[in-house]
Amino acid sequence: MLSGRRLDLLDPTPMDIEIEDIAHGLAFVARWNGQTRGDFAYSVAEHSILVEEIFSRMVRNAGPAARLTALLHDAPEYVIGDMISPVKSAVGPAYGALDDRLAAAVHIRFGLPAITPAPLKKLIKKADRISAWMEATQIAGFTRAEADKFFGAPDLDLIADLAIRLRPPLEVRTDFTTRHQTLLDAI
C-alpha cells in the first residue's frame, strides 16, 4: 500500500488497514468500469460518499457508527476493484468470501462490528441501489424506465437536490478521508 503497509489479501488484519490507502484506492477505482459520461471516471469513493448521504436521509436518526458503516460499504474495493454484479456471480462464492474478510478487517480497524447487522446492511443496500439508479440515469446512459427495472424506482423527493459529481480523484480522496474522520470523531 502507499502507506507502506503490506496487506495480505487472503488473510487481512486490521493493523494493516489505513484510511488513506482506502481513500486513495477508492478514488481511483471507476464505477461502471469507467463507462460513464464526463471528464472524470465516477469513483467508488464518490459513490460511497453519496451512499452515506442517501442512507443518512433515509435513516434520520442514524448514529455515526451506522453512517460510517455506510461510507465504508465498498471499502474492500480499494484493493480488489469494483466488479459489476454479473461478474461477481460468475466468479462465485470465493469473491464474496474475500470481500467479507476484507470488510471485517476494515470494520474492526475502525471500531465497527466485523459483520454488519442484517437490518443495517439491508438499509445500506437500499441506499446503494438508489445511488446506482442515480448513476445509471445521470451518467451511464440509462433511461428512467431501464433504471427502474434494474434498481427499483427511488423516492424522488429523497434525492431531489442530489446530483452525481464527477471530480478529480485527489479531490474525492480528500473529501472521503475528511468524511471518515468526521464520523469517526463522532463515535
Side-chain angles (χ1 to χ4, degrees):
M1 301 292 108
L2 287 177
S3 66
R5 298 276 188 189
R6 297 293 179 248
L7 179 66
D8 182 343
L9 291 177
L10 300 179
D11 187 22
T13 67
M15 294 310 300
D16 293 326
I17 306 288
E18 296 292 341
I19 194 59
E20 292 79 10
D21 293 331
I22 293 171
H24 183 81
L26 294 183
F28 283 91
V29 173
R31 295 257 309 156
W32 302 87
N33 291 328
Q35 299 301 308
T36 55
R37 297 182 187 111
D39 294 333
F40 298 100
Y42 186 67
S43 73
V44 175
E46 192 76 68
H47 161 79
S48 297
I49 294 167
L50 180 60
V51 168
E52 189 263 328
E53 173 64 28
I54 294 168
F55 171 79
S56 297
R57 290 172 178 216
M58 289 171 33
V59 186
R60 295 273 182 204
N61 63 344
R67 293 172 71 180
L68 182 59
T69 304
L71 181 69
L72 295 172
H73 79 282
D74 279 338
E77 294 179 9
Y78 86 104
V79 289
I80 60 176
D82 181 31
M83 277 196 255
I84 58 176
S85 295
V87 174
K88 287 179 186 176
S89 295
V91 170
Y95 178 86
L98 176 61
D99 186 88
D100 290 345
R101 283 192 302 275
L102 283 164
V106 168
H107 287 181
I108 292 167
R109 171 67 173 89
F110 299 113
L112 301 170
I115 299 171
T116 303
L120 176 57
K121 190 170 189 168
K122 184 176 180 182
L123 288 167
I124 293 170
K125 187 61 180 172
K126 182 176 181 182
D128 189 41
R129 292 179 67 78
I130 293 169
S131 177
W133 184 93
M134 290 177 62
E135 295 161 25
T137 58
Q138 293 182 28
I139 60 172
F142 284 53
T143 65
R144 286 178 71 171
E146 289 171 321
D148 289 352
K149 177 182 171 186
F150 287 106
F151 306 108
D155 173 359
L156 295 178
D157 290 336
L158 182 73
I159 58 173
D161 63 331
L162 295 177
I164 299 298
R165 297 172 41 189
L166 300 174
R167 303 184 294 153
L170 298 182
E171 183 180 323
V172 178
R173 179 183 72 189
T174 298
D175 285 355
F176 186 94
T177 55
T178 299
R179 187 71 194 134
H180 175 269
Q181 191 61 53
T182 299
L183 292 169
L184 200 59
D185 288 347
I187 293 177

